[in-house]
């Protein structure tokens, strides 16, 4: 299998980065001519193609959501984090909720398409070495998603798991977001197998391990004290990691 991976991986890498380079100017054009709506359409389309590109590695992606998510309310998607391929399926599958990511500031430059979307698409970029900047940026972000009825996506582990085993959830980012969105809902997400794309390291890519994302029942933010909300959310997510 690993030998086959060495043959297929360069093809996948070429296709993946080609799409990032193609969609970068399209994002710029859409944003500057058509504004937010035009830019979002391009970003949604790009992420659909990025998800489908994983089929080159024989990796289908399945997103399961058996719950009716509240409308006209802020949603806070809280998820475990296994790798960069967690992100395109979330954007593509929950696009009608306008998901905006909490991301580290380093990703805001240097990556075609991705960095531009983070800067212009409504995400928040936090400097983990600067607590004051992080708090101020998260407060602004929390108010912005409330005003626009967007959703937030946060990975409380802070960094991706390299073997699928979840790390402890940090409270700070989620606490700020929920503080300013008491009328909203937390939606726990469990991601399985995306770490296996990098099970050999950066190269070659892993083949044939289907990625699944499961959305769990939404939890009204105001229904629990924050500590209990965090504990319940973390328990639900980790319970379904395989």
């Amino acid at each position: 299998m690993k030998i086959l991976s060495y043959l297929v991986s360069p093809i996948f890498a070429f296709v993946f980065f080609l799409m990032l380079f193609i969609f970068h100017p399209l994002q710029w054009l859409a944003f500057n001519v058509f504004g937010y709506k035009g830019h979002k359409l391009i970003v949604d389309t790009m992420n659909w193609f990025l998800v489908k590109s994983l089929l080159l590695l024989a990796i289908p992606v399945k997103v399961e959501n058996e719950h009716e998510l509240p409308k006209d309310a802020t949603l806070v998607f809280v998820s475990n984090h296994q790798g960069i391929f967690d992100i395109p399926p979330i954007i593509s599958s929950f696009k009608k909720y306008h998901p905006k990511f909490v991301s580290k500031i380093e990703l805001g430059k240097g990556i075609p398409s991705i960095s531009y979307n983070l800067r212009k698409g409504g995400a928040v970029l936090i400097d983990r070495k600067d607590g004051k900047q992080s708090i101020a940026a998260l407060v602004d972000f929390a108010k912005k998603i409330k005003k626009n009825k967007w959703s937030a996506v946060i990975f409380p582990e802070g960094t991706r798991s390299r073997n699928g085993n979840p790390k402890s959830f940090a409270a700070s980012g989620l606490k700020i977001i929920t503080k300013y969105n008491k009328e909203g809902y937390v939606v726990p997400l469990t991601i399985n197998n995306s770490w296996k794309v990098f099970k050999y390291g950066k190269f070659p890519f892993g083949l044939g391990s289907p990625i699944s994302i499961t959305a769990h029942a939404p939890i009204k933010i105001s229904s629990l004290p924050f500590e209990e909300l965090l504990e319940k959310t973390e328990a639900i997510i980790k319970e379904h990691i395989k």
Side-chain angles (χ1 to χ4, degrees):
M1 182 68 77
K2 193 172 183 179
I3 295 174
L4 179 61
S5 181
Y6 274 109
L7 298 174
V8 176
S9 291
I11 300 172
F12 170 75
F14 174 78
V15 171
F16 183 84
F17 284 105
L18 178 63
M19 285 192 287
L20 295 185
F21 280 107
I22 289 173
F23 278 98
H24 187 90
L26 294 177
Q27 281 191 61
W28 182 92
L29 182 64
F31 182 83
N32 286 281
V33 176
F34 300 105
Y36 173 80
K37 290 184 178 180
H39 178 242
K40 183 180 183 302
L41 177 62
I42 295 299
V43 170
D44 291 345
T45 303
M46 176 184 74
N47 280 281
W48 185 87
F49 277 107
L50 292 178
V51 170
K52 295 304 179 184
S53 73
L54 286 165
L55 292 174
L56 292 169
L57 300 176
I59 297 176
V61 179
K62 183 179 182 180
V63 179
E64 298 178 300
N65 177 27
E66 299 179 350
H67 307 280
E68 185 70 28
L69 299 184
K71 298 177 181 178
D72 298 321
T74 302
L75 303 181
V76 183
F77 293 98
V78 182
S79 178
N80 62 312
H81 192 24
Q82 295 190 349
I84 62 171
F85 295 107
D86 300 342
I87 296 170
I90 293 175
I91 295 176
S92 181
S93 298
F94 299 103
K95 59 185 178 182
K96 69 178 180 179
Y97 302 103
H98 301 256
K100 310 301 176 186
F101 286 77
V102 177
S103 179
K104 58 184 181 181
I105 199 167
E106 292 85 352
L107 297 179
K109 58 182 179 180
I111 309 173
S113 283
I114 294 173
S115 296
Y116 188 86
N117 181 41
L118 289 172
R119 294 196 312 271
K120 300 295 187 179
V124 59
L125 297 170
I126 59 173
D127 185 348
R128 291 186 289 189
K129 299 177 183 178
D130 185 342
K132 186 176 180 181
Q133 183 274 345
S134 297
I135 292 172
L138 282 166
V139 169
D140 288 344
F141 175 70
K143 292 178 179 178
K144 185 189 298 183
I145 62 172
K146 179 179 181 179
K147 177 182 177 182
N148 292 292
K149 290 291 189 293
W150 293 343
S151 62
V153 182
I154 185 168
F155 302 111
E157 291 169 280
T159 186
R160 65 187 175 94
S161 168
R162 297 180 183 275
N163 58 9
N165 296 323
K167 303 177 182 180
S168 297
F169 281 19
S172 55
L174 181 60
K175 188 171 186 178
I176 292 172
I177 294 171
T178 55
K179 177 181 177 181
Y180 290 92
N181 289 278
K182 293 290 187 182
E183 79 295 343
Y185 295 79
V186 162
V187 182
L189 299 178
T190 299
I191 297 173
N192 280 297
N193 284 342
S194 72
W195 70 272
K196 292 182 180 178
V197 178
F198 295 102
K199 64 183 178 181
Y200 301 128
K202 293 183 178 180
F203 194 88
F205 301 111
L207 301 180
S209 297
I211 295 172
S212 69
I213 300 178
T214 304
H216 306 288
I219 307 167
K220 180 78 171 178
I221 291 171
S222 61
S223 68
L224 293 170
F226 176 76
E227 290 73 18
E228 293 181 28
L229 178 67
L230 176 63
E231 182 179 351
K232 180 176 181 178
T233 302
E234 183 173 1
I236 291 171
I237 293 169
K238 291 184 176 180
E239 179 186 349
H240 293 84
I241 295 176
K242 301 173 183 177

